[in-house]
Amino acid sequence: MAIFWRGLTAQETAWLTDAMLHSGEVIDLSDIPGTKVDKHSTGGVGDKVSLILAPLAAACGLKVPMMSGRGLGHTGGTLDKLEAIPGFRVMLNVAEFRAILEKVGTAMIGQTPQIVPADRKLYSLRDVTGTVECIPLICASIMSKKLAEGIDSLVLDVKFGRGAFMKSKEHALELARAMVAIGRVSGKPVRALLTAMNQPLGRAAGHTTEVIESIECLKDRGPADLMEVTYALTGHMLILGGMAKNEIEARQKMTAAIASGAALEKFRQMCVAQGGDPRVIDDYAILPTAKKLIEVVARTDAHGFVSEVDALKCGHAIMALGGGRAAVTDHVDHAVGIANLIKIGEPVTAGTRLCTLHVNDETRGIRAEALMREAILFAPSAPKVEPLIQDLIQ
Ligand code: URA
C-alpha cells in the first residue's frame, strides 16, 4: 500500500524485482546452444502475436523460451488459445520445457509453481487491496517472471488504449521505461514497443478463431495490422539475439521464413512436441467448433466508414459468449468468439458484414451481437487511422 501511494525509485524497483526473482527457481538455460530471447505483451483483445512470433523467431535461429499466462477479464491468454488445439499440453515441467526448447527452438508453457512464488502471493494481496494498478509493482511482477525464464534478452509489447491494461499512452510509456531500466540493471538487453490497442488486433478474437488466424499468418495470409506488430516485435528479437544487423535484414529473414514454410513447420514441430494434434494446420475442423454462426451485418441506414471498433466492448462480447474468464477459476469455452471483424477505416453500406460470431448459446449470442453493435461505430468520411506502433524504448 505504501508503494502504491508513494511509488518506488528505479533502484528500489530493481531491488524488489531481484527479491521476487530469487523467491523461487531461476531457470538456467546457458547449456542450451543459441541465444534465448522472449517477448512479453501486457495484453489486449485479439493479441495472438505469441502464437506466430515464437515459431517465426525459432525458424530464424533464435531459442524462444516462452512462459505465458491465461486470460482474465476482457483480455485473452496465450495458454488458453494453445489449449484450443486438441491434446496441446501447456503445463510442462522444466525438464520437458528445456528438452523441447533445445530440440524445436521454442516451447510455450505456463509458469511452473516454482517460478517467482512471491508474485502469486503479492498479486493476490494487490487484487484484494486495490493496488494492482501501480507501475513499480506491475514492473517488478512482469520482469521478475521474465528474468526467471533464463532469457538473454527480452522484447516487450506495452499496449495502451481502450482494450489494454494501460489506458493512456503516458502510463504505458512510464511502464515501458521502468521495465527497460530493470533489464539494464540485470544486464539483459530489453526493448519495448508501445502499441495501440483501441481496436482488436487482426480480425479474430477468442480461442479457436485466434488459432486459425495465427496459422493463416504462418501461411502468409495474415491481416496487415497483425503482421505489422508481429514483424516489428520479432524483428527486435532477431536484432537483440544477434540474428540480424538491423530491421531491414530482420524483415528479409522473417518474410523468407514465412514464405518458405519454415515458420509453419516450427509451429507443427512445437505442436507435436507438446502433445497437440498437428493436423489442425490443414484441417481447422479439428478445433472446437461452435454450434452456430451469427453474421452481424450493417443495418439498412448504414453508410460511410468504420470509425471505431471498441476493443473493450469486443472483449466483453467474448465474455458474454462464454469465451472469457471473470474469475481465475472460470472455465472458458474455446469454440466461441469473433471472426471476420471489420477494421477502422473500412467502408460500410447496408448489409456489409461487421463480424461473424461463433456461438454456442442463443441468449449469449444475442447479448454478444448487441455488444458488437455498440462496439462498431460509423462516420460519414474515412477517419484518420492511428499508427499501431507508436514508440520504441531501449
Ligand atoms: N501482469 C503481470 O504479470 N503482473 C502485473 O502486476 C500486471 C500484469
Side-chain angles (χ1 to χ4, degrees):
M1 190 57 83
I3 295 170
F4 184 83
W5 290 117
R6 303 285 304 266
L8 286 182
T9 64
Q11 181 60 72
E12 287 166 340
T13 310
W15 282 328
L16 175 63
T17 308
D18 195 57
M20 288 173 70
L21 168 65
H22 290 104
S23 67
E25 181 178 3
V26 179
I27 300 177
D28 180 2
L29 299 173
S30 57
D31 57 328
I32 296 180
T35 316
K36 291 101 207 166
V37 189
D38 192 12
K39 186 262 329 180
H40 176 82
S41 161
T42 54
V45 179
D47 182 3
K48 72 278 295 168
V49 166
S50 293
L51 274 67
I52 313 155
L53 164 148
L56 174 59
C60 293
L62 290 180
K63 291 280 191 300
V64 187
M66 194 176 271
M67 286 194 183
S68 306
R70 296 200 178 273
L72 189 60
H74 69 279
T75 60
T78 300
L79 299 182
D80 299 314
K81 292 170 200 178
L82 290 168
E83 281 180 345
I85 301 171
F88 200 105
R89 289 170 56 231
V90 292
M91 297 321 288
L92 305 183
N93 61 39
V94 173
E96 292 171 306
F97 179 59
R98 292 171 60 90
I100 296 170
L101 181 69
E102 181 155 22
K103 185 165 171 238
V104 177
T106 181
M108 299 177 80
I109 70 163
Q111 233 183 295
T112 67
Q114 292 79 27
I115 298 275
V116 195
D119 182 59
R120 262 182 293 280
K121 297 190 177 187
L122 285 173
Y123 199 90
S124 330
L125 272 176
R126 287 164 62 199
D127 199 23
V128 293
T129 52
T131 54
V132 167
E133 313 253 329
C134 169
I135 285 175
L137 293 178
I138 298 170
C139 172
S141 164
I142 294 175
M143 291 305 290
S144 58
K145 288 180 287 192
K146 288 286 130 183
L147 293 171
E149 282 177 359
I151 48 168
D152 297 311
S153 48
L154 176 69
V155 174
L156 295 161
D157 181 4
V158 184
K159 296 197 173 293
F160 66 93
R162 269 189 292 281
F165 190 57
M166 295 279 143
K167 301 297 172 209
S168 78
K169 188 173 174 183
E170 291 65 37
H171 283 135
L173 196 56
E174 203 185 320
L175 177 61
R177 288 198 176 120
M179 292 195 287
V180 169
I182 295 296
R184 205 172 297 126
V185 174
S186 316
K188 312 268 181 192
V190 175
R191 287 185 181 187
L193 287 180
L194 241 61
T195 68
M197 176 39 74
N198 284 317
Q199 64 174 333
L201 199 52
R203 294 185 186 273
H207 298 93
T208 283
T209 55
E210 290 197 38
V211 170
I212 295 173
E213 189 168 63
S214 305
I215 297 173
E216 285 293 301
C217 289
L218 291 165
K219 292 178 179 171
D220 211 0
R221 300 196 291 242
D225 64 332
L226 176 56
M227 288 317 293
E228 183 186 343
V229 175
T230 304
Y231 280 141
L233 292 164
T234 316
H236 285 292
M237 289 171 74
L238 296 184
I239 295 168
L240 285 183
M243 290 293 154
K245 284 194 285 296
N246 51 39
E247 288 179 48
I248 296 167
E249 196 188 340
R251 179 60 83 107
Q252 283 163 351
K253 289 201 168 175
M254 292 183 288
T255 47
I258 296 268
S260 68
L264 184 66
E265 173 57 19
K266 277 288 166 218
F267 182 87
R268 195 191 66 77
Q269 289 171 10
M270 177 183 70
C271 248
V272 172
Q274 296 195 218
D277 189 338
R279 290 176 303 163
V280 290
I281 291 170
D282 301 306
D283 183 4
Y284 299 146
I286 288 175
L287 292 161
T289 306
K291 289 193 190 120
K292 188 177 167 190
L293 299 182
I294 299 178
E295 298 294 348
V296 180
V297 296
R299 295 196 166 119
T300 45
D301 56 348
H303 181 69
F305 296 85
V306 175
S307 57
E308 198 174 298
V309 183
D310 186 322
L312 182 59
K313 287 193 175 139
C314 294
H316 288 158
I318 292 168
M319 291 192 73
L321 289 172
R325 241 190 224 101
V328 276
T329 46
D330 287 352
H331 163 81
V332 292
D333 183 346
H334 291 117
V336 299
I338 302 167
N340 303 319
L341 181 63
I342 201 159
K343 306 292 297 186
I344 293 174
E346 291 181 341
V348 250
T349 53
T352 303
R353 181 172 63 193
L354 305 179
C355 68
T356 307
L357 295 177
H358 292 231
V359 176
N360 265 337
D361 174 287
E362 195 83 30
T363 317
R364 285 176 173 273
I366 292 167
R367 172 90 190 108
E369 175 169 350
L371 281 163
M372 290 310 292
R373 288 195 182 278
E374 276 177 35
I376 303 171
L377 302 182
F378 310 133
S381 52
K384 196 170 166 289
V385 181
E386 65 171 351
L388 251 181
I389 298 166
Q390 300 212 357
D391 220 330
L392 166 67
I393 316 297
Q394 56 186 329

